[in-house]
Amino acid sequence: MNIMLRGQPGRRDKRSRKPSLHRRNLKIATIEGIPSTIFQVLLQGQFLTGYLLYLGASSGQIGFVLALTTLVNVAQIGVAYLIQRLPSRKWALVTFIGLQRLLWVSTGLVPFLFPQEYWVIAFIMLYTSAFIANTAGGMLWNSVISDLVPARVRGRYFGIRNTLLNALGSLVIYGGGVVLDRYPGGQGFLILYIVVWIFSFLNIVTFFFYPDVPFEKSEETSFLPMVKKPLHDRLFMKSTLFLSAWLLLQNITVPLYSYVMLELLHLEYETLSLLNVSQTVLMMASFYVWGNLNARYSNKRLLLFTLPIIAASSLLWGLLSILPMLPVLFAAHMLFGVGVGGFNQLAFNFIIGDTPKRERPMYMAMYAALTGLAAFFGPVLGGQIYEWIAEWPHWTQVYGLQLLVGTLMIALALLLGRRILKD
């Protein structure tokens, strides 16, 4: 009896012990991702394409909108310099993130505030303003989160966080697709935007709980010397320019998959949601595999392994010529999920793990600017190509472009990737 009595307070002490500072910070970052995932999923991908089609946008305009988010990344170079002069990153982060969220969700008010002939241009103006604000907010978040997550648990933490948030995203994708099928047109999008407004506000609130972590500033104080740091890093620049070329090719077709399936293959939103859910589920499963491989192999080598998988997912579209549509689309989406899950995770780890800590904001900005320019021109070119080939045979619009792009990606990976992305 005495032993039990002595042991009970010990157990209570253990249970009541406060979590460490790092654990508390990681918990906040994870909770913040929940409302962020819910509202962002409903404003991107198939829902963004569907909303633009509802507003009356052409394929070229859709391609331009899909590309805008990456074009404004060029401004991150200036942001990376300016944040060196901030007394506090936290309140700048809250300000720009809050502004971006409010402008982005305001796109849902376009049909209520403007005549129909101005819907598309009004959307583009609000969307562009939102992602100009996001240029600063995203740069600040990357800077904060790289300091917030200890290097020793970085791979495991992001693997777990990405898995949880992508699981949530899968449910939201499917639910949003069901809503749009049950309530077609403006009524369905009104329901989605009500949900979006609620969770965007909650997301802004969660950023107030982020800690104001210490910031190791660059040794350089002038703009040009700070910019020259990543530019003079030969290995970093070679890898970044190669990945930019890859994203240019990839984004000619991938952002426009929803356009092809909604407009040319006439799929329902629920079916399209299931395709995207299958892609997300395979992406989640791949996080664990890529994370374990990352413990044995370098970020750059594993990046190289992801490239043929992404290219193969594009080539799979060619099987639409001989096989039933849905099995081919599911296979292509699932394979793309495996490849792009590894690509995104490893590219992020490459930037925050293989670069000097003090100069990391400028390295991040340079990577975002170069890959952002490439990712901008990809959807713009892809949308324009679909307009050019509108009178061509149907197969060229449905899977012909994917076959061409997939072949070029394979060639790029074999000819340049093997030389550049090596240890």
Side-chain angles (χ1 to χ4, degrees):
M1 180 67 69
N2 290 337
I3 294 175
M4 292 178 64
L5 289 174
R6 284 197 298 270
Q8 286 174 353
R11 287 195 295 270
R12 283 198 298 270
D13 291 344
K14 187 175 181 180
R15 286 195 300 267
S16 63
R17 187 181 302 159
K18 291 184 178 180
S20 68
L21 179 62
H22 284 312
R23 285 182 179 274
R24 193 161 60 249
N25 291 344
L26 297 183
K27 184 178 180 180
I28 291 170
T30 303
I31 292 173
E32 176 271 317
I34 294 173
S36 177
T37 296
I38 293 172
F39 92 84
Q40 289 193 59
V41 162
L42 294 175
L43 290 178
Q44 294 177 329
Q46 69 191 58
F47 304 111
L48 173 58
T49 301
Y51 188 56
L52 286 168
L53 289 171
Y54 166 71
L55 295 179
S58 65
S59 63
Q61 289 172 322
I62 292 172
F64 178 74
V65 169
L66 294 174
L68 272 175
T69 57
T70 56
L71 176 64
V72 294
N73 283 343
V74 175
Q76 286 195 14
I77 294 177
V79 175
Y81 171 71
L82 292 175
I83 67 173
Q84 302 288 333
R85 280 147 177 72
L86 290 174
S88 166
R89 286 181 295 178
K90 174 180 176 175
W91 298 113
L93 173 67
V94 171
T95 300
F96 284 105
I97 288 289
L99 180 61
Q100 191 265 350
R101 299 322 193 223
L102 292 174
L103 287 169
W104 196 4
V105 298
S106 294
T107 56
L109 300 176
V110 165
F112 301 98
L113 299 178
F114 301 95
Q116 187 169 357
E117 60 268 25
Y118 298 116
W119 281 2
V120 175
I121 187 64
F123 177 94
I124 291 175
M125 291 176 65
L126 282 171
Y127 194 77
T128 303
S129 300
F131 280 90
I132 289 174
N134 190 62
T135 300
M139 180 80 249
L140 286 161
W141 186 84
N142 284 333
S143 174
V144 169
I145 202 70
S146 65
D147 290 338
L148 198 66
V149 182
R152 65 182 182 279
V153 299
R154 192 171 287 152
R156 183 183 178 193
Y157 170 73
F158 283 115
I160 295 172
R161 185 179 189 271
N162 291 342
T163 300
L164 292 174
L165 297 183
N166 277 280
L168 174 63
S170 297
L171 296 175
V172 176
I173 288 172
Y174 181 73
V178 171
V179 168
L180 290 181
D181 280 337
R182 299 293 185 274
Y183 304 95
Q187 187 179 6
F189 285 111
L190 176 60
I191 294 171
L192 293 190
Y193 266 98
I194 291 173
V195 176
V196 160
W197 270 97
I198 293 170
F199 283 98
S200 63
F201 175 76
L202 290 175
N203 184 229
I204 294 171
V205 171
T206 57
F207 276 100
F208 282 85
F209 294 93
Y210 262 62
D212 200 359
V213 291
F215 184 27
E216 290 188 32
K217 298 186 178 182
S218 172
E219 296 175 353
E220 302 291 347
T221 57
S222 300
F223 179 69
L224 286 179
M226 200 178 296
V227 172
K228 289 178 180 178
K229 288 278 187 176
L231 290 176
H232 289 169
D233 189 331
R234 187 168 172 269
L235 293 178
F236 169 79
M237 288 303 299
K238 283 176 62 178
S239 300
T240 299
L241 290 173
F242 170 78
L243 294 176
S244 299
W246 178 268
L247 289 172
L248 172 64
L249 279 176
Q250 177 181 299
N251 281 17
I252 289 175
T253 56
V254 172
L256 292 158
Y257 281 173
S258 294
Y259 168 78
V260 172
M261 291 183 287
L262 288 172
E263 195 74 356
L264 302 178
L265 296 177
H266 308 294
L267 294 185
E268 295 182 341
Y269 280 102
E270 187 172 348
T271 304
L272 188 53
S273 294
L274 288 172
L275 288 167
N276 285 322
V277 166
S278 69
Q279 175 179 308
T280 305
V281 168
L282 265 293
M283 186 187 302
M284 288 189 305
S286 76
F287 288 148
Y288 179 78
V289 177
W290 292 115
N292 283 340
L293 289 173
N294 205 188
R296 299 176 56 191
Y297 303 103
S298 70
N299 291 315
K300 290 203 294 183
R301 176 178 290 189
L302 289 177
L303 268 174
L304 178 61
F305 292 167
T306 68
L307 304 186
I309 299 174
I310 296 173
S313 71
S314 184
L315 293 172
L316 273 180
W317 281 70
L319 294 178
L320 289 173
S321 60
I322 57 174
L323 294 177
M325 178 176 64
L326 286 181
V328 171
L329 292 179
F330 271 105
H333 277 73
M334 293 165 73
L335 194 60
F336 181 74
V338 173
V340 80
F343 183 94
N344 291 339
Q345 185 169 322
L346 292 161
F348 184 73
N349 288 346
F350 165 61
I351 296 301
I352 69 172
D354 295 359
T355 54
K357 185 175 182 180
R358 287 182 178 273
E359 312 301 330
R360 193 169 293 153
M362 188 57 73
Y363 272 79
M364 287 180 173
M366 188 62 66
Y367 177 85
L370 294 175
T371 56
L373 276 175
F376 167 77
F377 286 110
V380 171
L381 180 58
Q384 191 60 57
I385 289 173
Y386 277 112
E387 290 190 3
W388 291 337
I389 64 177
E391 304 301 323
W392 288 23
H394 189 64
W395 71 269
T396 61
Q397 302 171 61
V398 172
Y399 60 84
L401 186 57
Q402 284 89 319
L403 284 176
L404 175 62
V405 169
T407 302
L408 292 174
M409 286 196 291
I410 286 287
L412 183 64
L414 293 177
L415 295 177
L416 289 179
R418 292 173 62 188
R419 289 191 296 165
I420 293 175
L421 296 180
K422 62 182 181 179
D423 296 332

